[in-house]
Amino acid sequence: VRRRPALTAAVSGLVLIVLSLGTIGYKATFDLASGSMPKTKESMVVQDEMQKAYSAGAAAPTDVYLTSTDGKALDKSAFDAYAKRLGAVDGVATARMTQLNKDGTTADFTVTLNYEASTDKAIEAVGKVRDVAHSGAPEGTEALVGGMSSIYKDINAAVNHDYRTVFPVAAVLIMVILGLLLRSVVAPWYLMASVGLGFGATLGATVWIFQDGQGHSGLMFMLPVIMYLFVVAIGTDYNILMIARLREEAREGREPREAAGMALRHAGPTVAAAGFILAATFATMMLAGNSLLTEMGFAVSFGIAVAAFVMAMFFTPSLTALIGHAAWWPGHGDRAQEPALGTGGGSLASGQVPDQGRDTVSQDSLGGRE
């Protein structure tokens, strides 16, 4: 970090970027039962038997509710044609009217998909069912689509919206806090960039191991949010610990590269110990034998390890050393502090001439103190 900050920043940054490439293949899954429950459990046996006997979507069918908008009874003669339209949708196995309320104003059409309710294909198919159900509803009626696949589709849309909203808003708020804490406009940008790369590297590594390596259809849909909370929060904390120590070393009169090296020497062991303990704690979740807990345990522990041993140890201090004094613009918080006149010997009497030699020795010793 001190002698070759450019090489250190390039190597550590390249590691983060390469791992982040795995995010391209990220897929979310809502199948919380597969891999989480032993196949011998009664609920899983029933699900497998229903898929063999009927279709994969028989265990959790989709319901289309056709309701009268004027309060009058529905025209039963239109039910067969409406059911045929629903049954003709790609991905639908069967569709039929199953029950009618006593007033005749609401009819329930049970639609069985060819796919298990939590799969990507089922969620895509239920979207097509919605389109046909809405557009093909007889005049004077309104159609609403329910069922687990429909719920998953809405959750997926909500989560994607939250990702586009929460992530940037949280990043901006963290940058503002960093700017106020460090009194710098420059440092928060590359600190957040390093944390962002750490998050991408964590998600990418998880995708490569579990999706590509172990053949999972996707990662738990809430995993990116959980990772974001831990990796961004802890990564930012570790960066603050390191850069705050670096600033203290710079205020002792050291140049940026020397200050970065000293910061790593003194704050590095603390960050390493904290990161190792926390990562090892979360890694124990991988022993549960549950695919969801295994994914979560690996992702969080790996993200913390990346934050501690790559970002805070090498990437952030190396970048700070390279950017130099400009990293603290406009506050110049790294400038060496001049000692007050007469410090350590009381105030000078009026008209007394200070000892120039003693002041020089004091300044020299301050600049050389670790």
Side-chain angles (χ1 to χ4, degrees), residues 86-107:
L86 295 175
V89 175
D90 185 26
V92 173
T94 60
R96 58 190 178 88
M97 202 282 288
T98 53
Q99 57 181 334
L100 188 68
N101 71 337
K102 65 178 183 178
D103 296 329
T105 56
T106 300

Side-chain angles (χ1 to χ4, degrees), residues 64-67 74 79 97-101 104-109:
V64 178
Y65 296 94
L66 193 65
T67 304
L74 296 172
F79 288 172
M97 202 282 288
T98 53
Q99 57 181 334
L100 188 68
N101 71 337
T105 56
T106 300
D108 178 13
F109 291 81

Side-chain angles (χ1 to χ4, degrees), residues 16 19-23 195-206 227 231:
L16 296 175
L19 290 175
S20 297
L21 295 177
T23 59
V195 171
L197 284 175
F199 171 78
T202 303
L203 181 58
T206 308
M227 288 169 45
V231 175

Side-chain angles (χ1 to χ4, degrees), residues 45-127:
V45 172
V46 170
Q47 183 174 340
D48 292 340
E49 291 299 325
M50 289 188 69
Q51 290 181 9
K52 294 176 183 178
Y54 303 102
S55 71
T62 296
D63 293 295
V64 178
Y65 296 94
L66 193 65
T67 304
S68 174
T69 57
D70 54 11
K72 298 180 181 179
L74 296 172
D75 182 8
K76 297 180 181 179
S77 63
F79 288 172
D80 289 341
Y82 189 64
K84 287 182 180 179
R85 291 194 190 98
L86 295 175
V89 175
D90 185 26
V92 173
T94 60
R96 58 190 178 88
M97 202 282 288
T98 53
Q99 57 181 334
L100 188 68
N101 71 337
K102 65 178 183 178
D103 296 329
T105 56
T106 300
D108 178 13
F109 291 81
T110 299
V111 178
T112 304
L113 303 177
N114 289 324
Y115 317 107
E116 198 276 319
S118 61
T119 61
D120 293 338
K121 290 183 177 180
I123 296 173
E124 181 181 355
V126 83

Side-chain angles (χ1 to χ4, degrees), residues 105-302:
T105 56
T106 300
D108 178 13
F109 291 81
T110 299
V111 178
T112 304
L113 303 177
N114 289 324
Y115 317 107
E116 198 276 319
S118 61
T119 61
D120 293 338
K121 290 183 177 180
I123 296 173
E124 181 181 355
V126 83
K128 299 176 183 178
V129 171
R130 282 184 176 183
D131 294 337
V132 173
H134 296 159
S135 62
E139 186 176 354
T141 65
E142 178 187 20
L144 296 174
V145 181
M148 293 307 300
S149 297
S150 185
I151 292 173
Y152 290 143
K153 183 172 181 61
D154 289 338
I155 292 176
N156 188 46
V159 169
N160 289 335
H161 174 268
D162 290 346
Y163 286 168
R164 294 190 297 269
T165 303
V166 174
F167 285 7
V169 169
V172 170
L173 291 177
I174 293 174
M175 285 186 63
V176 171
I177 294 172
L178 287 174
L180 295 174
L181 175 66
L182 301 175
R183 297 184 181 181
S184 169
V185 175
V186 178
W189 286 95
Y190 68 84
L191 289 178
M192 283 307 300
S194 68
V195 171
L197 284 175
F199 171 78
T202 303
L203 181 58
T206 308
V207 168
W208 275 340
I209 290 177
F210 291 97
Q211 283 187 203
D212 300 336
Q214 298 189 6
H216 291 192
S217 60
L219 302 179
M220 182 181 64
F221 69 97
M222 287 296 294
L223 190 60
V225 172
I226 296 172
M227 288 169 45
Y228 191 84
L229 292 175
F230 282 99
V231 175
V232 172
I234 294 175
T236 303
D237 285 348
Y238 291 166
N239 274 341
I240 289 174
L241 288 173
M242 187 61 68
I243 201 168
R245 182 57 192 248
L246 191 153
R247 183 174 60 179
E248 291 179 4
E249 297 294 341
R251 284 178 173 177
E252 295 289 342
R254 295 181 175 84
E255 289 302 313
R257 295 192 179 193
E258 183 183 3
M262 294 299 295
L264 181 59
R265 175 181 296 177
H266 294 297
T270 302
V271 172
F276 177 79
I277 293 172
L278 194 57
T281 301
F282 279 103
T284 58
M285 297 172 63
M286 299 174 64
L287 303 176
N290 180 302
S291 63
L292 299 182
L293 292 179
T294 301
E295 289 179 4
M296 188 185 306
F298 171 82
V300 175
S301 60
F302 185 84

